[in-house]
Structure formats: structure tokens, C-alpha cells
Amino acid sequence: MKLDDLRERMLKYEPENEEAAMLYEELEASYQQLLAMSEQLTHTENKYGLLIQNMRDIVWIMDPSGKIHFINSIVSELLGYSAEEMLGHYLYEYMCPLHEYKTGFCKDVVGLMAIKEFERQEMWMLHRDGNTRKVLEVNSKHYFVEDTLVEIQGVGRDITERIQIERRINKKNKHMRFIHDISATIN
């Protein structure tokens, strides 16, 4: 029912009632405030929603069990899955099962996220093609409602190239140390 319709109906029943007219005026002012706040909220949601969708990092929200409730669309570029197909699935389903973590298997890592927040934690993800692995540097935060953990918010940055470069540098360093040791022995 629209506000004007409500006013007409009120005036039919109580055309001379000043109190009803005043109540209507208060109701109309409150309604206008609500509309303005709703407009502002929609604008803010659109603005920050667009910011998250345009990020080059994967942003996700999952429940404490690890089930994904939101993930931004960059995941399709990095891992080959659409955001829609990942919703309702568990984060550990997309982790590389061949990688050995200090804390256990993929499911254990995601379970640990419900216990502690991650800061710069490496997570090895498996691309949809089944061969390519991506390394994400993950930061996570817990979101509580009345002391109950309700969701885990995570951000993962693709550091695969950095890891590959570090490995090549380490390999070259070992090679250089070997040459240095041989040279020292000959001298």
C-alpha cells in the first residue's frame, strides 16, 4: 500500500481528527527517511560490491565448516571455475590434494581457519584443468555474532609466479655454491 493511499483511507475515517493527521505526517517523514537510507545503502552496496568484483585477488566468505557462500568472479580467471559453481562447495575441494601442509591435509587446513585467523598463509589450489597449481597467499578474518563464529572472510593473492622465481633463485644459488666449493678445492 502506498503512503498516499493510506492517507486517503485515514482521512475517510477521521476527516477532522488532528491527531490522525499529525500521526500521518510523522509516518510520512519516517517513510521518507527510510527511503533515503535505503537509497544510500543500495549505493554503498553497489560501490563496494563493484570494488570486490574488480579486485585481482580472490575474495570469499565461508561458514565455519568451510562451505563457500560468496566468492568473487576473478576465481574463474585464476582457477578456471565460475563463482556460481563454487557456491555451496567446500574450499578444501579446490585445494591441491598432493601438497603436504604442516597442519595436515586440505580439509585440516580449512578446519584450522575456523580456529585461527590466517596471515600470509600459503594455500596450494588446483586449477580446473587438473594440472596447474596456483599458490595463494591467504589472509582471513573471523566474523562473530554474539560470540559465535558465523563466517570466515578470506582474501587470497596469487603468488605462483613469485614462488617459481624463488625456486629458480634457490636452484641457481645451490649451483653457484657448488661451483664455488669446487673452485675453492682446486685452488
Side-chain angles (χ1 to χ4, degrees), residues 129-144:
D129 66 16
N131 297 317
T132 310
R133 294 192 309 169
K134 295 284 185 173
V135 184
L136 299 183
E137 184 177 76
V138 172
N139 294 294
S140 67
K141 289 288 182 190
H142 291 162
Y143 180 73
F144 292 90

Side-chain angles (χ1 to χ4, degrees), residues 107-118:
K107 198 172 186 177
D108 302 324
V109 174
V110 174
L112 186 60
M113 288 178 87
I115 297 168
K116 71 175 206 165
E117 294 179 344
F118 282 0

